[in-house]
Coordinates of all heavy atoms in Angstrom, one line a residue:
R812 N -17.3 111.3 75.3 CA -17.7 111.5 73.9 C -19.1 112.1 73.9 O -20.0 111.5 74.6 CB -17.6 110.2 73.2 CG -17.8 110.4 71.7 CD -17.7 109.1 70.9 NE -18.0 109.3 69.5 CZ -18.3 108.4 68.6 NH1 -18.4 107.1 69.0 NH2 -18.5 108.7 67.3
T813 N -19.3 113.2 73.2 CA -20.6 113.9 73.3 C -21.7 113.0 72.7 O -21.5 112.2 71.8 CB -20.5 115.2 72.6 OG1 -20.3 114.9 71.2 CG2 -19.5 116.2 73.2
A814 N -22.9 113.3 73.2 CA -24.1 112.7 72.7 C -24.3 113.1 71.2 O -24.7 112.2 70.4 CB -25.3 113.1 73.5
E815 N -23.9 114.3 70.9 CA -24.1 114.8 69.5 C -23.2 114.0 68.6 O -23.7 113.6 67.5 CB -23.7 116.3 69.4 CG -24.6 117.3 70.1 CD -24.1 117.6 71.5 OE1 -23.5 116.7 72.2 OE2 -24.3 118.7 72.0
D816 N -22.0 113.7 69.0 CA -21.1 113.0 68.1 C -21.4 111.5 68.0 O -21.3 110.9 66.9 CB -19.6 113.2 68.6 CG -18.7 112.5 67.6 OD1 -18.7 112.9 66.4 OD2 -17.9 111.7 68.0
V817 N -21.9 110.9 69.1 CA -22.3 109.5 69.0 C -23.5 109.4 68.0 O -23.5 108.5 67.1 CB -22.6 108.9 70.3 CG1 -23.0 107.4 70.2 CG2 -21.4 109.0 71.3
A818 N -24.4 110.3 68.2 CA -25.6 110.3 67.4 C -25.3 110.5 65.9 O -25.8 109.9 65.0 CB -26.6 111.3 67.9
F819 N -24.4 111.4 65.7 CA -23.9 111.8 64.3 C -23.3 110.5 63.7 O -23.7 110.2 62.5 CB -22.8 112.9 64.4 CG -22.1 113.1 63.1 CD1 -22.7 113.8 62.1 CD2 -20.8 112.8 63.0 CE1 -22.1 114.0 60.9 CE2 -20.1 113.0 61.8 CZ -20.7 113.7 60.7
A820 N -22.5 109.8 64.4 CA -21.8 108.6 63.9 C -22.9 107.5 63.5 O -22.8 106.9 62.5 CB -20.8 108.1 64.8
V821 N -23.9 107.4 64.4 CA -24.9 106.4 64.2 C -25.8 106.7 62.9 O -26.0 105.9 62.1 CB -25.8 106.2 65.4 CG1 -26.9 105.2 65.1 CG2 -25.0 105.7 66.6
A822 N -26.2 108.0 62.9 CA -27.0 108.5 61.8 C -26.3 108.3 60.5 O -26.9 107.9 59.5 CB -27.5 109.9 62.0
R823 N -25.0 108.7 60.4 CA -24.3 108.5 59.2 C -24.1 107.1 58.8 O -24.2 106.7 57.6 CB -22.9 109.1 59.3 CG -22.9 110.6 59.1 CD -21.5 111.2 59.1 NE -20.8 110.9 57.8 CZ -21.1 111.6 56.6 NH1 -22.0 112.5 56.6 NH2 -20.4 111.3 55.6
F824 N -24.0 106.2 59.8 CA -23.9 104.8 59.4 C -25.1 104.3 58.7 O -25.1 103.6 57.7 CB -23.6 104.0 60.7 CG -23.5 102.5 60.6 CD1 -22.4 101.9 60.0 CD2 -24.5 101.7 61.1 CE1 -22.3 100.6 59.8 CE2 -24.4 100.3 60.9 CZ -23.3 99.7 60.3
F825 N -26.3 104.7 59.3 CA -27.5 104.3 58.7 C -27.8 105.1 57.4 O -28.4 104.5 56.4 CB -28.7 104.3 59.7 CG -28.6 103.2 60.7 CD1 -28.2 103.4 62.0 CD2 -28.9 101.9 60.3 CE1 -28.0 102.4 62.9 CE2 -28.8 100.9 61.2 CZ -28.3 101.1 62.5
Q826 N -27.4 106.3 57.3 CA -27.5 107.0 56.0 C -26.7 106.3 54.9 O -27.2 106.2 53.8 CB -26.9 108.4 56.2 CG -26.8 109.2 54.9 CD -26.4 110.7 55.1 OE1 -26.0 111.1 56.1 NE2 -26.5 111.5 54.0
N827 N -25.6 105.7 55.3 CA -24.8 105.0 54.3 C -25.0 103.5 54.3 O -24.0 102.7 54.1 CB -23.3 105.3 54.6 CG -23.0 106.7 54.2 OD1 -23.4 107.2 53.1 ND2 -22.3 107.4 55.1
G828 N -26.2 103.0 54.5 CA -26.5 101.6 54.3 C -26.2 100.7 55.4 O -26.2 99.5 55.2
G829 N -26.0 101.2 56.6 CA -25.8 100.3 57.8 C -27.0 99.5 58.1 O -28.2 99.9 57.8
T830 N -26.8 98.3 58.7 CA -28.0 97.5 59.1 C -28.0 97.2 60.6 O -29.1 97.1 61.2 CB -28.1 96.2 58.2 OG1 -29.1 95.4 58.7 CG2 -26.8 95.4 58.3
L831 N -26.9 97.0 61.2 CA -26.8 96.8 62.7 C -25.7 97.5 63.3 O -24.6 97.4 62.8 CB -26.6 95.3 62.9 CG -26.6 94.7 64.3 CD1 -26.8 93.2 64.3 CD2 -25.4 95.0 65.1
Q832 N -26.0 98.3 64.3 CA -24.8 98.9 65.0 C -25.0 98.6 66.5 O -26.0 98.5 67.1 CB -24.7 100.4 64.7 CG -25.6 101.3 65.5 CD -25.1 101.7 66.8 OE1 -23.9 102.0 66.9 NE2 -25.9 101.8 67.8
N833 N -23.8 98.3 67.1 CA -23.7 98.0 68.5 C -22.9 99.0 69.3 O -21.8 99.3 68.9 CB -23.1 96.6 68.6 CG -22.9 96.2 70.1 OD1 -23.8 96.0 70.8 ND2 -21.6 96.1 70.5
Y834 N -23.5 99.5 70.3 CA -22.8 100.5 71.2 C -21.8 99.7 72.1 O -22.2 98.9 72.9 CB -23.7 101.3 72.1 CG -24.6 102.2 71.4 CD1 -26.0 101.9 71.2 CD2 -24.2 103.3 70.7 CE1 -26.8 102.7 70.6 CE2 -25.0 104.2 70.1 CZ -26.4 103.9 70.0 OH -27.2 104.7 69.3
Y835 N -20.5 100.1 72.0 CA -19.5 99.5 72.9 C -19.0 100.6 73.7 O -18.3 101.5 73.2 CB -18.4 98.8 72.1 CG -17.4 98.1 73.0 CD1 -17.4 96.7 73.2 CD2 -16.4 98.8 73.8 CE1 -16.5 96.1 74.0 CE2 -15.6 98.2 74.6 CZ -15.6 96.8 74.7 OH -14.8 96.2 75.6
M836 N -19.4 100.8 74.9 CA -20.3 100.0 75.7 C -21.6 100.7 75.8 O -21.7 101.9 75.7 CB -19.7 99.9 77.1 CG -18.4 99.2 77.2 SD -18.3 97.5 76.7 CE -19.4 96.7 77.9
Y837 N -22.7 100.0 76.1 CA -24.0 100.6 76.5 C -24.0 100.8 78.0 O -24.5 101.8 78.5 CB -25.2 99.8 76.0 CG -26.4 100.6 76.0 CD1 -26.7 101.6 75.0 CD2 -27.4 100.4 77.0 CE1 -27.8 102.3 75.0 CE2 -28.6 101.2 77.0 CZ -28.8 102.1 76.0 OH -29.9 102.9 76.0
H838 N -23.5 99.8 78.7 CA -23.2 99.9 80.1 C -21.8 99.3 80.3 O -21.5 98.2 80.1 CB -24.2 99.1 81.0 CG -23.8 99.0 82.4 ND1 -23.3 97.9 83.0 CD2 -23.7 100.0 83.4 CE1 -23.0 98.1 84.3 NE2 -23.3 99.4 84.5
G839 N -20.8 100.2 80.7 CA -19.4 99.7 80.9 C -19.2 99.0 82.2 O -18.7 97.9 82.2
G840 N -19.7 99.5 83.3 CA -19.6 98.8 84.6 C -18.3 98.9 85.2 O -17.5 99.9 85.1
T841 N -17.9 97.8 85.9 CA -16.8 97.9 86.8 C -15.9 96.7 86.6 O -16.4 95.5 86.4 CB -17.3 97.8 88.3 OG1 -18.3 98.8 88.5 CG2 -16.2 98.0 89.3
N842 N -14.6 96.9 86.7 CA -13.6 95.8 86.6 C -13.4 95.3 88.1 O -12.5 95.7 88.7 CB -12.3 96.2 86.0 CG -12.4 96.6 84.5 OD1 -13.0 95.8 83.8 ND2 -11.9 97.7 84.1
F843 N -14.3 94.4 88.5 CA -14.1 93.9 89.9 C -12.9 93.1 90.1 O -12.4 92.5 89.1 CB -15.3 93.1 90.3 CG -16.6 93.9 90.3 CD1 -17.7 93.5 89.4 CD2 -16.8 94.9 91.2 CE1 -18.9 94.3 89.4 CE2 -18.0 95.6 91.2 CZ -19.0 95.3 90.3
G844 N -12.5 92.9 91.3 CA -11.4 92.0 91.6 C -10.1 92.4 90.8 O -9.7 93.5 90.8

Side-chain angles (χ1 to χ4, degrees):
R812 186 178 180 200
T813 60
E815 291 92 330
D816 185 54
V817 181
F819 170 72
V821 175
R823 277 190 75 76
F824 179 71
F825 287 104
Q826 174 172 7
N827 288 314
T830 175
L831 184 162
Q832 82 86 38
N833 175 66
Y834 295 107
Y835 185 101
M836 302 295 296
Y837 196 75
H838 171 254
T841 310
N842 293 313
F843 296 117

